[in-house]
Amino acid sequence: MSLTGFGASAPRKEDPALLRGEGQFVDDIHFPAMLHAAFVRSPHAHASIGRIDKSAALALPGVHAVFAFADLPEPVRRQTLPLLVPHPSLRAPRMPYALAKDEVCYAGEPVACVVADSRYIAEDAADRVEVAYEPLPAVNDCRAALAPGTTTAHAEADSNVAARFPVQVGDADRAFAGAAHVFRERIYQHRGGPFFMECRGAVARYEKPTDAYTLFVSSQGSHRLKRCLLDMFDLGDHQVRVVTPDVGGGFGPKGSFYPEYVNLAFAARVLDRPVKWIEDRRENFLATHQERDQYWDMEIAVDRDGHILGLRGELIHETGAYVPWGIVLPWIAATTVPGPYVIPSFKLDVVSVYTNKIQTTPVRGAGRPEAVVTMERLMDRVARELELDPAEVRRRNFIRPEQMPYNVGIIFRDGRPVTYDSGDYPACQAAALEASGYDGFRQRQAQARSLGRHIGIGIANAVEATGLGPYESATVRISTSGKIVVYTGATPQGQSHKTTLGQIAAEQFGVGLDDVTVVTGDTAAISLGIGTFAARTAANAGPSVHLAGLEVALKAKTIAAGMMECLLEDLELADGYVRLKSAPDVRKSLREIAVRSVGMPGFSMAGELEPGLEHTAHFTPAQSAYSNGTHVAEVEVDIETGAVLILRYTVAHDCGRVINPMVVDGQVIGGVAHGIGNALFERLVYDDQAQLLTGTFADYLLPLATDVPRIDLVHLETPSPLNPLGIKGAGEGGTIPAIAAIVSAVENALAPFGVRIAEAPVTPQRIVELLGSHALGRTR
Amino acid sequence: MTDTRTIRVHVNGKAFRGEVETRLTLVDFLRHELQLTGTHVGCEHGVCGACTVLVDGASARACLMLAVQCDGAEVSTVESLASGAGLNALQQAFRDCHGLQCGFCTPGMLMTLTEFLRDNPDPGEAQVRDVLSGNLCRCTGYQGIVDAALAAAKRMREVRL
Ligand code: FES
Ligand code: FES
């Protein structure tokens, strides 16, 4: 293993520029004559729109234009934003227009776009745009939204149901009829947001000579954004280029297509100047997609020994005002519930519901944390009722490694049966328990309790579908300067693609990481791409780089064999040369070979080879690969203040073969922190008219350095058989079981008071409420 | 309605004298007037710490200060940390300890820690976490940042010995 190749904790290529303040984030991009946009956003969660008076705004010096829906060009006015993942169960898919047409359906929905010399002036002008709103009743709760004859989130709609669909495995009702025990839990997971540190933003340019747009945008998928723009403006492939510079975090919602981007592109063309828009944090709270918000009403049937016989129930999922990602969230949630356990029968009725809030689309974990909270709460319930150790109940129900590959019996969102490719779930839990000192906990707990301290432990297991298809692209090219460049459609937001994909290529050519440049997220550099979300890049782009690199390496050797008049088998690649194994001094540089490969003007190509030292691969996995993990949280709860201190946090994680252990550890630890936020603090409070009351980081609390403990990590490696490198995804594995483990630990700590928790977050305030007189008794 | 004032400030040792709008924030002044884009804006309400710079040696939130308030002051930004092409000890420790992922919070983290390590050359982990609790990072879970601060403190102590 080299210091920088596959499996090495190579230092990141991304770091030096970012550490010197030389990163190029979208707001760092500046063009001469650039203008700045600000949006007029609806103050109402639901209203119809009448006249829009722009005159006062336009009168302000420095204002160049104010656009409302009627000012948009024809193909844009004709259609709503594209629905990314349609599904037959979506009866009436609602999507927004680029600017609100005659109705606004959440507070923060863009109504008009102002373009001015500076952001300061654009905001002044936005304040002066007068919109005649006719407020309509707003729907703020997805359960209430299901009541017959209730208010609808869209005025014209006859109900708030976006989609209904069943998930079914075996005969659950029969399993319940014959069960020794049946337990029921109602579980709620509250919405949270991505809250990346860099808000969204974009700069649009229009080039008259080529009649083409360029959009620099802080996004997770340049190619998808490009396709959306082509659709909106009805353009040819050559007319849009989307480039993603450094991106300050994404966590899901930067993968969506937003109305602001359409407006910027349009403004840049009509004003013939570059136009920039950078979302501010207030807008980010109102207008960037969020997630979670699910109510589960579930029953579990078990036999006398705690073996699961079946699960059944209902899932109410809040989609918010629109459905850009269709039903992927409730679908992923529903299919993740079984997790690492043998579940012979399963029946779930899923309903996705419109409300007048910003839409919910995937946020780190994408429906899986909710599913894991649900399943693990049920497991804890079984343990409690049967007086078994929570670890033992889980042990009894694990899918065994010899059952792999294991077909769960459900169809996943990629259209394939959920079939776990590999993994050793009992070993994973055992490793986590061992590392967390689980066996000694009951003693620690008794001791703490005797001192009046309330500590608790919680376990959560999860299986995560990763490496979602359809493919991710990579071109490996050696230019005539001899430099190796990898182009990929994957679009990083901190996951270190330039390092990890570079490591895979460096390995192929026997060079150092410094000799490889990785270009990400530019639609002009590579024609196809999907983007970075759902822990998919390493498992898709990784194999693509590997396969493309193999082809190019073979071609380099073939050309060199011709130049050196020797056999292919006698050659090897090292340090930027193809050389004779037996006499390393006899060699040709990649530069010479690359020059030879492109041919000379007017001369025939030698041999049968296609010109150029490059190859593009689109690795297309047959199905998702399944990572898994066990989290064990040990917490202490202060019963006077409701504060939770995480004393110890252990993760055992299996994401197949690891390209760069340092990077994977960082992804997992960062993910746990996100889960800690969701478990303990992050709460978006809305009033009964669906107005957000927590719109700053002073009200909506992200976890701090003092909230996140040091995290102990154990890695297990069961390679995936689905790709040539054995990789599975790692980007969300830290978040998915974290909420469940922490909620479970808090409940365990409060067991002497009979406190039961079936919700997240459990904020200090909520804990004090749940403790009731036990808490108040102390503080009074 | 634009109200302007003339200010003089030193930024990273270079003098600036010129007219600015009184409502211009320090961070916008640094980023847009001086093109020093290393300092980032994460919240514009003083909570995230991404905009942290040093004003006369003390850390300050550049989103909560106006450029005119810096008249006569010495401002240091992330661009001042490394001399030449390299990284300083703290920056290098961030790289060694995986103290950054997307890198957006990083300039603010570096400036907060620059002040902290200057005043506390031998801090414990709890102290480091305490001072970092004024800077939000959504990517790293802070562990790499804490490790980087401790490693940098150690290295800087060794150099001083
Ligand atoms: S931008 Fe200044 S503290 Fe967040
Ligand atoms: S590294 Fe992304 S916010 Fe800190």
Side-chain angles (χ1 to χ4, degrees), chain A residues 392-573:
Chain A
E392 176 58 24
V393 176
R394 289 162 169 90
R395 244 186 316 260
R396 289 183 189 178
N397 285 289
F398 277 134
I399 296 162
R400 320 287 317 169
E402 57 274 15
Q403 291 174 277
M404 294 291 171
Y406 183 85
N407 187 337
V408 180
I410 317 175
I411 301 298
F412 190 54
R413 61 158 287 209
D414 62 2
R416 314 268 171 168
V418 176
T419 304
Y420 301 157
D421 50 334
S422 66
D424 187 340
Y425 307 149
C428 188
Q429 176 172 294
L433 295 183
E434 161 88 37
S436 66
Y438 187 81
D439 282 345
F441 178 75
R442 300 299 157 196
Q443 208 184 337
R444 291 202 287 285
Q445 190 172 42
Q447 213 162 34
R449 279 184 185 156
S450 72
L451 300 168
R453 291 174 53 213
H454 302 281
I455 69 171
I457 202 161
I459 308 170
N461 289 301
V463 179
E464 176 196 0
T466 69
L468 293 189
Y471 60 84
E472 194 50 77
S473 54
T475 298
V476 173
R477 180 182 299 159
I478 301 180
S479 60
T480 49
S481 63
K483 299 227 186 302
I484 302 168
V485 186
V486 176
Y487 299 91
T488 176
T491 310
Q493 324 110 47
Q495 299 94 335
S496 324
H497 295 3
K498 294 185 185 188
T499 303
T500 54
L501 298 178
Q503 284 177 267
I504 294 173
E507 184 96 353
Q508 296 283 348
F509 295 100
V511 297
L513 193 47
D514 288 344
D515 296 318
V516 181
T517 302
V518 179
V519 176
T520 57
D522 179 351
T523 62
I526 186 163
S527 75
L528 292 170
I530 302 292
T532 293
F533 56 94
R536 65 185 303 282
T537 296
N540 283 291
S544 291
V545 173
H546 172 76
L547 296 172
L550 274 179
E551 287 289 329
V552 175
L554 177 64
K555 198 166 179 186
K557 282 201 240 173
T558 309
I559 294 169
M563 292 165 81
M564 293 159 75
E565 295 179 340
C566 64
L567 294 171
L568 198 58
E569 305 82 77
D570 297 335
L571 295 173
E572 64 181 7
L573 269 156

Side-chain angles (χ1 to χ4, degrees), chain A residues 376-394:
Chain A
E376 297 297 313
R377 290 283 68 210
L378 291 168
M379 293 307 261
D380 282 350
R381 175 77 188 276
V382 171
R384 194 167 71 230
E385 301 275 358
L386 271 53
E387 293 178 14
L388 290 167
D389 185 285
E392 176 58 24
V393 176
R394 289 162 169 90

Side-chain angles (χ1 to χ4, degrees), chain A residues 11-13 15-16 18-21 25 27-28 30 60 120-121 124 193-199 247-249 251 280-281 364 493-494 496 662-663 666-667 669-671 673-674 682 696-698 702-706 708-711, chain B residues 1 23-25 28 31-32 35 37-38 40-45 47-48 78-79 82 84-87 91 94-98 100-107 110 125 129-130 132-133 136-143 146-147 150:
Chain A
R12 297 202 325 157
K13 286 174 79 73
D15 288 352
L18 295 171
L19 286 163
R20 294 167 56 86
F25 295 92
D27 191 36
D28 303 338
H30 180 86
L60 210 62
Y120 285 68
I121 298 171
D124 287 345
F195 298 112
F196 25 70
M197 285 298 112
E198 181 211 29
C199 289
V247 174
F251 312 115
D280 69 23
R281 192 53 77 177
R364 201 170 198 170
Q493 324 110 47
S496 324
M662 178 185 82
V663 165
Q667 288 292 304
I669 292 167
H674 200 136
E682 296 186 39
T696 73
F697 284 147
L702 296 183
L704 307 175
T706 40
V708 181
R710 189 162 283 280
I711 287 152
Chain B
M1 69 180 274
R23 65 173 177 171
L24 184 70
T25 62
D28 284 350
R31 291 183 49 78
H32 302 146
Q35 316 299 330
T37 53
H40 293 158
V41 181
C43 71
E44 290 181 290
H45 54 253
V47 182
C48 77
V78 66
E79 285 92 346
L87 300 175
Q91 291 166 314
F94 263 67
R95 191 172 190 210
D96 296 342
C97 302
H98 196 25
L100 65 156
Q101 289 183 17
C102 76
F104 195 79
C105 69
T106 310
L110 290 170
E125 176 167 342
R129 287 189 182 267
D130 218 42
L132 287 177
S133 67
L136 295 174
C137 174
R138 189 56 150 176
C139 298
T140 61
Y142 305 102
Q143 191 154 312
V146 171
D147 290 345
L150 293 170

Side-chain angles (χ1 to χ4, degrees), chain A residues 57-88:
Chain A
L58 285 167
L60 210 62
V63 173
H64 291 252
V66 178
F67 304 113
F69 177 82
D71 305 304
L72 295 172
E74 161 45 18
V76 174
R77 261 184 297 130
R78 205 190 318 142
Q79 58 196 324
T80 56
L81 264 51
L83 169 61
L84 297 174
V85 191
H87 188 269

